[in-house]
Short mmCIF file of all heavy atoms in Angstrom, two decimals:
data_model
loop_
_atom_site.label_atom_id
_atom_site.label_comp_id
_atom_site.label_asym_id
_atom_site.label_seq_id
_atom_site.Cartn_x
_atom_site.Cartn_y
_atom_site.Cartn_z
N ASP A 9 -2.02 -6.69 -14.25
CA ASP A 9 -3.46 -6.86 -14.03
C ASP A 9 -4.16 -5.58 -14.07
O ASP A 9 -5.30 -5.48 -13.51
CB ASP A 9 -3.70 -7.67 -12.71
CG ASP A 9 -3.14 -7.01 -11.57
OD1 ASP A 9 -2.23 -6.13 -11.67
OD2 ASP A 9 -3.48 -7.43 -10.42
N GLU A 10 -3.60 -4.54 -14.66
CA GLU A 10 -4.35 -3.28 -14.94
C GLU A 10 -4.42 -3.01 -16.43
O GLU A 10 -3.35 -3.09 -17.08
CB GLU A 10 -3.74 -2.06 -14.18
CG GLU A 10 -4.29 -1.79 -12.84
CD GLU A 10 -3.57 -2.47 -11.71
OE1 GLU A 10 -2.37 -2.75 -11.97
OE2 GLU A 10 -4.17 -2.73 -10.67
N TYR A 28 -8.43 0.35 -15.46
CA TYR A 28 -9.40 -0.72 -15.06
C TYR A 28 -8.52 -1.77 -14.35
O TYR A 28 -7.58 -2.29 -14.88
CB TYR A 28 -10.12 -1.25 -16.30
CG TYR A 28 -10.67 -2.63 -16.08
CD1 TYR A 28 -11.86 -2.80 -15.30
CD2 TYR A 28 -10.01 -3.78 -16.54
CE1 TYR A 28 -12.35 -4.08 -15.09
CE2 TYR A 28 -10.56 -5.01 -16.35
CZ TYR A 28 -11.68 -5.19 -15.60
OH TYR A 28 -12.13 -6.44 -15.40
N THR A 29 -8.94 -2.15 -13.17
CA THR A 29 -8.15 -3.13 -12.37
C THR A 29 -8.84 -4.50 -12.40
O THR A 29 -10.09 -4.58 -12.25
CB THR A 29 -8.04 -2.70 -10.91
OG1 THR A 29 -7.41 -1.42 -10.93
CG2 THR A 29 -7.21 -3.60 -10.05
N GLN A 30 -8.08 -5.53 -12.75
CA GLN A 30 -8.70 -6.88 -12.89
C GLN A 30 -8.88 -7.65 -11.59
O GLN A 30 -9.10 -8.85 -11.70
CB GLN A 30 -7.80 -7.74 -13.80
CG GLN A 30 -7.54 -7.10 -15.22
CD GLN A 30 -6.65 -8.04 -16.03
OE1 GLN A 30 -5.92 -8.87 -15.48
NE2 GLN A 30 -6.58 -7.80 -17.33
N THR A 31 -8.83 -6.96 -10.47
CA THR A 31 -8.87 -7.60 -9.21
C THR A 31 -9.90 -8.74 -9.13
O THR A 31 -9.58 -9.86 -8.68
CB THR A 31 -9.21 -6.57 -8.07
OG1 THR A 31 -8.36 -5.50 -8.25
CG2 THR A 31 -8.98 -7.17 -6.70
N GLU A 32 -11.11 -8.45 -9.59
CA GLU A 32 -12.17 -9.46 -9.50
C GLU A 32 -11.84 -10.75 -10.28
O GLU A 32 -12.28 -11.83 -9.84
CB GLU A 32 -13.50 -8.90 -9.94
CG GLU A 32 -14.16 -8.06 -8.87
CD GLU A 32 -15.42 -7.43 -9.32
OE1 GLU A 32 -16.06 -7.90 -10.26
OE2 GLU A 32 -15.81 -6.38 -8.62
N VAL A 33 -11.09 -10.57 -11.40
CA VAL A 33 -10.82 -11.73 -12.27
C VAL A 33 -9.93 -12.72 -11.54
O VAL A 33 -10.05 -13.88 -11.60
CB VAL A 33 -10.14 -11.22 -13.58
CG1 VAL A 33 -9.67 -12.40 -14.39
CG2 VAL A 33 -11.05 -10.29 -14.34
N HIS A 34 -8.97 -12.11 -10.72
CA HIS A 34 -7.94 -12.93 -10.14
C HIS A 34 -8.17 -13.34 -8.64
O HIS A 34 -7.51 -14.17 -8.15
CB HIS A 34 -6.53 -12.22 -10.20
CG HIS A 34 -6.24 -11.89 -11.62
ND1 HIS A 34 -5.99 -12.83 -12.58
CD2 HIS A 34 -6.20 -10.64 -12.27
CE1 HIS A 34 -5.68 -12.17 -13.77
NE2 HIS A 34 -5.85 -10.88 -13.53
N GLN A 35 -9.16 -12.58 -8.06
CA GLN A 35 -9.36 -12.72 -6.58
C GLN A 35 -9.47 -14.21 -6.13
O GLN A 35 -8.84 -14.54 -5.19
CB GLN A 35 -10.60 -11.90 -6.21
CG GLN A 35 -10.46 -11.36 -4.78
CD GLN A 35 -11.29 -10.02 -4.72
OE1 GLN A 35 -12.31 -9.90 -5.43
NE2 GLN A 35 -10.88 -9.12 -3.84
N GLU A 36 -10.30 -14.95 -6.78
CA GLU A 36 -10.60 -16.27 -6.31
C GLU A 36 -9.30 -17.16 -6.41
O GLU A 36 -9.26 -18.19 -5.73
CB GLU A 36 -11.79 -16.91 -7.01
CG GLU A 36 -11.52 -17.16 -8.47
CD GLU A 36 -12.76 -17.84 -9.11
OE1 GLU A 36 -13.07 -18.97 -8.75
OE2 GLU A 36 -13.47 -17.18 -9.97
N TYR A 37 -8.26 -16.78 -7.18
CA TYR A 37 -7.12 -17.57 -7.29
C TYR A 37 -5.98 -17.07 -6.34
O TYR A 37 -4.94 -17.69 -6.24
CB TYR A 37 -6.56 -17.60 -8.74
CG TYR A 37 -7.65 -18.01 -9.66
CD1 TYR A 37 -8.39 -17.05 -10.38
CD2 TYR A 37 -7.91 -19.39 -9.87
CE1 TYR A 37 -9.38 -17.51 -11.26
CE2 TYR A 37 -8.91 -19.78 -10.76
CZ TYR A 37 -9.65 -18.86 -11.45
OH TYR A 37 -10.62 -19.25 -12.28
N GLY A 39 -4.01 -14.61 -6.64
CA GLY A 39 -2.89 -14.02 -7.36
C GLY A 39 -3.21 -13.89 -8.80
O GLY A 39 -4.23 -14.37 -9.26
N ASP A 48 -8.48 -10.68 -20.44
CA ASP A 48 -9.26 -9.57 -19.98
C ASP A 48 -8.75 -8.22 -20.66
O ASP A 48 -9.52 -7.36 -20.98
CB ASP A 48 -9.16 -9.41 -18.46
CG ASP A 48 -10.43 -8.82 -17.86
OD1 ASP A 48 -11.50 -9.10 -18.51
OD2 ASP A 48 -10.42 -8.04 -16.90
N TYR A 175 -6.51 -10.81 -1.66
CA TYR A 175 -5.65 -10.37 -2.72
C TYR A 175 -6.30 -9.09 -3.39
O TYR A 175 -7.48 -9.13 -3.59
CB TYR A 175 -5.42 -11.44 -3.77
CG TYR A 175 -5.09 -10.86 -5.15
CD1 TYR A 175 -3.72 -10.65 -5.45
CD2 TYR A 175 -6.05 -10.57 -6.06
CE1 TYR A 175 -3.40 -10.11 -6.67
CE2 TYR A 175 -5.72 -10.02 -7.34
CZ TYR A 175 -4.39 -9.79 -7.60
OH TYR A 175 -4.06 -9.25 -8.78
N PRO A 176 -5.65 -8.02 -3.76
CA PRO A 176 -4.22 -7.80 -3.43
C PRO A 176 -4.12 -7.30 -2.03
O PRO A 176 -4.88 -6.42 -1.63
CB PRO A 176 -3.79 -6.80 -4.47
CG PRO A 176 -5.01 -6.05 -4.78
CD PRO A 176 -6.20 -6.95 -4.53
#
Side-chain angles (χ1 to χ4, degrees):
D9 57 346
E10 265 91 25
Y28 160 76
T29 302
Q30 300 179 345
T31 312
E32 280 179 17
V33 175
H34 305 290
Q35 212 149 31
E36 64 178 295
Y37 305 98
D48 213 33
Y175 156 88

